[in-house]
Amino acid sequence: MRIPEPTQTPDGPSYEGRLLDRVDEEVVDQGAAFDIRTLMSRRGVLGLAGVGLGAVVLAACAPAASGGASSTPTPTTSSGADAGSASVTEIPDETAGPYPGDGSNGPDVLEDSGIVRQDIRSSIDGAATADGVPLTFELQILDLANGGVPFSGVAVYAWHCTAQGEYSMYSSGLEDVTYLRGVQVADADGKVSFTSIFPGCYSGRWPHIHFEIYPGVASITDSTTAIATSQLALPQDACAAVYAEAAYDGSARNLSQTTLASDNVFGEDSGALQVATVSGSVSGGYAATLVVGVDTTTAPTAGAAPGGGAGGPGGGGQPPAG
């Protein structure tokens, strides 16, 4: 039998649009969780036929999700005080990418005093500030293992790229910069909020924000304790408006070359549970919200994807070029 070969992507090796859980192992050795997720796509049925999953193949008979080139799916969850309901679905596990800054791939900002902060536009020491269109983003974390109640007390570490598509602590010239990274502790409603800038769009990825969720702030110094790792996707209309600004030179071109459906992270379902609700304007700034269901009864399957330099083909994509 021919062993399926992975495809090298900006965020690491993938197969049928899914990033490998075990980057050093063959596709057929990724484990049952990966195999089932792959088989849930129609393409995966043919690609993995005969690897021994038997009746699980039947799951692939469900209708495939559709998404056009400019589709912006509406999350099936609701936002606000009534979001804690049985209808909320667990957020998909996603890669933390090669630039996590959590110690799993080199630099570790979570060891730094001052990382627990709401405004992440400046470095922790205040020496540098990221420029861009203002963005406030709020995540509401719900505890699905306990009926979807607000998951108060969990710590959320969020990070994203600059307007130029570069990552602090990794990109050339930004190795000593710590902006666009921070931790907040969920309040009684399970909510965390960050003041930041709208991230740029670099080649090979849809505009996104990474986040990891930890049991509490005391556990953030050990990345292996994260109970969920995922990404927030930004809707196309807001991205198009922001990327018309000079500070985002190159982002509009990169956005035109990818879609939610083709993105190697959001592509399986076009980010159905990960596209944020966004309001605002370029002149006044934007606000993004996303409901995040976390089920602690399921084992996390995501995490960092070491390998590749910042902006390189084996890393997080090519930053926009002027």
Side-chain angles (χ1 to χ4, degrees):
M1 179 187 70
R2 183 180 66 84
I3 301 298
E5 293 293 330
T7 300
Q8 295 303 319
T9 73
D11 277 342
S14 71
Y15 182 74
E16 298 293 352
R18 297 296 303 178
L19 291 170
L20 301 189
D21 294 336
R22 305 169 183 171
V23 296
D24 296 322
E25 301 290 340
E26 293 181 340
V27 172
V28 294
D29 293 325
Q30 293 300 303
F34 176 88
D35 294 339
I36 292 171
R37 293 199 309 275
T38 301
L39 285 167
M40 287 301 291
S41 71
R42 292 184 181 274
R43 292 176 300 170
V45 175
L46 297 176
L48 288 181
V51 297
L53 289 178
V56 178
V57 174
L58 295 176
C61 294
S66 61
S70 61
S71 63
T72 303
T74 301
T76 57
T77 57
S78 59
S79 59
D82 62 345
S85 69
S87 65
V88 176
T89 303
E90 183 177 17
I91 194 80
D93 280 330
E94 307 290 9
T95 176
Y99 317 121
D102 60 6
S104 63
N105 191 28
D108 190 354
V109 74
L110 299 182
E111 295 277 1
D112 292 356
S113 175
I115 187 59
V116 179
R117 60 202 184 127
Q118 195 273 336
D119 191 332
I120 61 175
R121 292 173 293 182
S122 297
S123 287
I124 293 174
D125 60 6
T129 300
D131 294 324
V133 173
L135 171 70
T136 298
F137 60 96
E138 177 186 275
L139 305 176
Q140 183 179 31
I141 317 301
L142 301 181
D143 184 0
L144 301 187
N146 288 294
V149 299
F151 213 151
S152 62
V154 294
V156 180
Y157 167 45
W159 73 98
H160 63 81
C161 71
T162 66
Q164 294 75 45
E166 299 175 316
Y167 282 89
S168 65
M169 306 180 75
Y170 292 89
S171 295
S172 177
L174 300 182
E175 295 89 347
D176 297 324
V177 174
T178 56
Y179 53 43
L180 308 183
R181 300 178 183 273
V183 173
Q184 281 283 278
V185 177
D187 63 16
D189 293 322
K191 294 180 178 180
V192 296
S193 177
F194 297 88
T195 297
S196 190
I197 64 164
F198 207 100
C201 180
Y202 51 86
S203 178
R205 282 303 319 276
W206 186 265
H208 60 282
I209 296 173
H210 293 267
F211 59 91
E212 293 173 336
I213 302 173
Y214 291 84
V217 72
S219 61
I220 64 173
T221 55
D222 182 357
S223 64
T224 65
T225 65
I227 58 177
T229 301
S230 196
Q231 299 180 28
L232 172 155
L234 292 160
Q236 185 173 12
D237 54 353
C239 292
V242 171
Y243 297 159
E245 296 294 295
Y248 290 85
D249 188 23
S251 284
R253 181 182 64 251
N254 290 328
L255 183 68
S256 71
Q257 296 172 348
T258 189
T259 66
L260 277 163
S262 68
D263 184 78
N264 60 41
V265 170
F266 303 123
E268 184 169 321
D269 59 1
S270 295
L273 298 176
Q274 295 161 280
V275 178
T277 298
V278 174
S279 61
S281 65
V282 171
S283 59
Y286 286 89
T289 60
L290 182 69
V291 175
V292 178
V294 174
D295 188 350
T296 54
T297 65
T298 63
T301 59
Q318 295 286 354

